[in-house]
């Protein structure tokens, strides 16, 4: 009997351990949840990083397309550098209540698609964090923490390390016209006995999770600084500037819009997109994948902006026999889901897809995912060293004997000096 109970406990603990090791993503779990936004409140669509024990806040919001008023609660969990649960006691990282309700909501006005917008600012009077690091915000319905509808990443910075960074051409001569390389140095004044074990630095391009590269070994360790400039690390495809479209008004056809018509909802047909086959880079401005909710037809961007079905068309053959094309941008968390997948019509050699989006300005790209799940951002867009990209560097420190990774440095730089 004792042996049976021991096996049962081992099994249960094993399941809990596996569950705790899941990587948290930016994700929506219900199709009626749209337009999730999360950014530092000081600037719309900025990287959601705030300083510890400062007056800075994260603005988080979403729309519920069922309309009416629903009961949404939320909680916060501390994560490791690679977005798994830190498994800390909630009292170690959270001050105030452990769960709270989202009280701030507004109804849509004068729109064909009825929705309710929910908004939250964090930290707030009810809940604050005590330590730096990666955090996941979990939103759930009906006071039931198991009915999760959104998970959203954000960062709390305890800034003890300064980061100096630069973007240079790739080391290999063959890659110099297509790739960008990030070199950086961590400047610190704290004792770091074993940088190979205590420190990790994550580099991302345009805040796209799939691009993250982890650095664990500095090339040079100097007094007060750690240099990461190994010739074989931190290479990124330059890609090309994001494509974009403008649906701020349904009364006229703005940038990249071919047609607009109205039935039970608004419908927008975008101009047909072609693969970029230019051998040379041509400069054009983009927002590095961001989107901005705007409308010229109403008075309030949040409540008066309607939803429309946006028809994307890519006139291109599949690059390999098996795989899928996805529309990719911050508006969908760069997620590769059924909602953002295009269908190929072989007779016309075109990919099509309808995506329901709120009025505004949108950046997007077409990406190819082959049968092995490998993502290719350049097959339809090409790649140039001259492309303007933003790079984010996150530095994490786990002190000897500590049970968590603390975010101690952050830098956001552009590949082009404007």
């Amino acid at each position: 009997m004792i042996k049976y109970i021991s096996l049962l406990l081992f099994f249960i603990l094993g399941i809990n351990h596996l569950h705790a090791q899941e990587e948290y993503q930016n994700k929506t779990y219900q199709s009626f949840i749209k337009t999730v936004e999360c950014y530092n409140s000081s600037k719309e669509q900025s990287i959601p990083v705030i300083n510890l024990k400062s007056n800075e806040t994260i603005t988080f919001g979403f729309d519920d397309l069922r309309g009416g008023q629903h009961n949404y609660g939320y909680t916060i969990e501390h994560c490791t550098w690679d977005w798994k649960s830190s498994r800390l006691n909630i009292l170690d990282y959270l001050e105030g209540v452990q769960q709270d309700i989202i009280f701030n909501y507004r109804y849509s006005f004068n729109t064909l698609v009825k929705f309710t917008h929910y908004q939250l600012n964090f930290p707030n009077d009810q809940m604050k964090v005590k330590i730096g690091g990666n955090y996941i915000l979990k939103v759930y319905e009906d006071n039931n923490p198991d009915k999760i509808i959104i998970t959203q990443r954000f960062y709390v910075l305890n800034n003890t390390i300064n980061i100096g960074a630069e973007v240079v051409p790739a080391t290999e001569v063959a890659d110099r016209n297509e790739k960008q390389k990030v070199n950086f140095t961590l400047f610190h004044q704290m004792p770091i006995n074993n940088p190979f074990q205590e420190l990790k630095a994550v580099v991302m391009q345009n805040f796209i999770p799939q691009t993250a590269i982890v650095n664990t070994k500095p090339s040079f360790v100097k007094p007060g600084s750690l240099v990461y400039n190994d010739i074989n690390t931190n290479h990124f495809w330059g890609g090309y500037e994001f494509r974009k479209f403008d649906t701020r008004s349904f009364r006229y056809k703005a940038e990249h819009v071919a047609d607009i018509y109205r039935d039970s909802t608004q419908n927008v047909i975008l101009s047909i997109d072609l693969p970029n086959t230019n051998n040379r880079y041509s400069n054009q401005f983009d927002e590095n994948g961001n989107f901005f909710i705007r409308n010229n037809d109403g008075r309030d961007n949040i409540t008066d902006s309607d939803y429309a079905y946006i028809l994307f068309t890519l006139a291109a053959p599949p690059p390999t026999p098996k795989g899928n094309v996805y529309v990719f941008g911050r508006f969908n968390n760069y997620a590769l889901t059924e909602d953002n997948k295009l269908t190929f019509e072989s007779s016309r050699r075109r990919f099509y897809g309808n995506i329901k989006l709120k009025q505004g300005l949108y950046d997007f790209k077409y990406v190819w995912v082959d049968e092995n799940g490998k993502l290719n951002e350049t097959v339809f867009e090409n790649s140039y060293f001259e492309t303007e990209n933003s790079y984010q560097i996150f530095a994490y420190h786990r002190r000897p004997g500590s049970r968590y990774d603390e975010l101690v440095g952050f830098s956001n730089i552009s590949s082009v000096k404007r």
Side-chain angles (χ1 to χ4, degrees):
M1 185 68 182
I2 292 170
K3 187 178 180 182
Y4 174 76
I5 291 169
S6 299
L7 280 169
L8 187 63
L9 280 170
F10 178 79
F11 181 70
I12 291 167
L13 288 169
I15 286 178
N16 286 339
H17 178 72
L18 284 170
H19 184 70
Q21 294 308 305
E22 289 177 5
E23 181 185 328
Y24 286 120
Q25 309 273 0
N26 288 335
K27 191 171 180 181
T28 56
Y29 293 83
Q30 297 291 346
S31 59
F32 53 78
I33 299 297
K34 297 287 184 188
T35 318
V36 177
E37 297 182 272
C38 183
Y39 51 85
N40 183 309
S41 306
S42 64
K43 186 183 180 187
E44 186 182 2
Q45 297 297 25
S46 55
I47 309 295
V49 178
I50 55 172
N51 280 290
L52 183 67
K53 293 183 171 62
S54 70
N55 293 323
E56 294 180 316
T57 62
I58 293 288
T59 293
F60 168 80
F62 62 93
D63 291 343
D64 184 336
L65 267 53
R66 296 175 299 175
Q69 191 249 319
H70 295 269
N71 188 6
Y72 286 119
Y74 69 95
T75 188
I76 306 291
E77 186 172 352
H78 191 278
C79 297
T80 58
W81 66 269
D82 56 351
W83 294 103
K84 293 167 184 169
S85 172
S86 295
R87 306 180 78 186
L88 292 174
N89 186 307
I90 198 166
L91 298 173
D92 290 339
Y93 61 83
L94 210 54
E95 195 177 295
V97 299
Q98 297 180 7
Q99 299 174 3
D100 196 18
I101 295 168
I102 301 177
F103 290 105
N104 186 357
Y105 61 90
R106 297 158 65 194
Y107 298 120
S108 58
F109 178 74
N110 208 21
T111 57
L112 290 177
V113 176
K114 301 302 176 191
F115 61 87
T116 307
H117 178 79
Y118 294 82
Q119 191 162 310
L120 168 70
N121 280 58
F122 182 87
N124 49 51
D125 293 341
Q126 304 300 316
M127 201 185 290
K128 293 180 172 67
V129 295
K130 297 178 181 178
I131 58 176
N134 289 353
Y135 282 89
I136 200 81
L137 169 67
K138 299 177 186 175
V139 179
Y140 52 86
E141 196 174 5
D142 299 333
N143 294 319
N144 183 354
D146 292 328
K147 281 182 72 174
I148 290 179
I149 62 148
I150 302 170
T151 50
Q152 184 70 40
R153 297 174 174 184
F154 70 96
Y155 304 80
V156 178
L157 173 66
N158 187 13
N159 198 7
T160 54
I161 282 181
N162 290 321
I163 302 176
E166 62 174 352
V167 180
V168 297
T171 313
E172 295 287 331
V173 174
D175 293 335
R176 288 200 162 188
N177 292 328
E178 298 175 320
K179 288 188 176 181
Q180 298 171 345
K181 173 172 164 46
V182 179
N183 293 330
F184 63 96
T185 302
L186 306 183
F187 298 98
H188 66 92
Q189 293 181 321
M190 57 187 182
I192 298 175
N193 299 320
N194 189 342
F196 296 92
Q197 284 192 332
E198 292 178 36
L199 279 167
K200 288 185 172 61
V202 175
V203 185
M204 249 189 252
Q205 184 189 69
N206 297 325
F207 198 49
I208 300 173
Q210 291 94 326
T211 64
I213 295 174
V214 184
N215 292 259
T216 54
K217 296 178 180 176
S219 315
F220 302 101
V221 179
K222 302 176 181 178
S225 66
L226 303 164
V227 181
Y228 296 79
N229 64 359
D230 188 275
I231 59 170
N232 297 316
T233 60
N234 298 319
H235 287 89
F236 296 83
W237 290 103
Y240 193 44
E241 310 299 352
F242 281 80
R243 302 169 191 260
K244 53 185 181 285
F245 65 88
D246 178 350
T247 55
R248 286 176 292 180
S249 177
F250 297 133
R251 296 177 184 173
Y252 57 87
K253 292 180 277 192
E255 183 177 16
H256 207 59
V257 173
D259 199 9
I260 301 168
Y261 68 94
R262 174 176 169 170
D263 45 32
S264 59
T265 60
Q266 299 283 2
N267 296 270
V268 175
I269 299 171
L270 298 183
S271 302
I272 295 170
D273 286 304
L274 300 169
N276 177 24
T277 55
N278 290 337
N279 290 326
R280 298 182 66 180
Y281 172 81
S282 59
N283 186 33
Q284 61 185 55
F285 183 77
D286 72 352
E287 292 287 351
N288 289 337
N290 271 331
F291 70 103
F292 298 90
I293 300 306
R294 297 283 187 275
N295 82 77
N296 297 336
D297 304 333
R299 288 182 294 184
D300 187 296
N301 287 325
I302 291 173
T303 58
D304 299 6
S305 296
D306 210 339
Y307 277 83
Y309 280 106
I310 312 292
L311 179 65
F312 294 84
T313 306
L314 174 64
T320 57
K322 290 184 179 177
N324 289 298
V325 174
Y326 294 86
V327 180
F328 200 60
R330 190 169 173 185
F331 70 90
N332 62 16
N333 285 322
Y334 301 102
L336 306 172
T337 64
E338 289 296 314
D339 283 350
N340 312 313
K341 189 165 80 176
L342 303 189
T343 303
F344 184 62
E345 189 180 325
S346 55
S347 62
R348 303 186 71 184
R349 295 173 68 81
R350 291 177 179 181
F351 288 91
Y352 294 96
N354 246 328
I355 302 177
K356 200 174 197 176
L357 295 172
K358 200 171 183 178
Q359 273 183 282
L361 299 157
Y362 286 81
D363 274 13
F364 70 99
K365 278 185 179 180
Y366 294 107
V367 297
W368 176 254
V369 178
D370 68 18
E371 58 187 312
N372 301 315
K374 188 179 179 188
L375 175 72
N376 187 331
E377 274 191 70
T378 63
V379 66
F380 302 118
E381 308 293 354
N382 220 325
S383 187
Y384 310 90
F385 168 75
E386 297 91 339
T387 301
E388 191 275 324
N389 292 298
S390 69
Y391 288 95
Q392 295 74 40
I393 304 165
F394 300 88
Y396 300 90
H397 184 219
R398 181 175 284 219
R399 294 181 178 84
S402 175
R403 293 180 297 123
Y404 67 93
D405 303 314
E406 185 170 37
L407 180 63
V408 291
F410 169 68
S411 181
N412 186 28
I413 64 163
S414 172
S415 64
V416 176
K417 291 182 173 63
R418 294 206 184 278

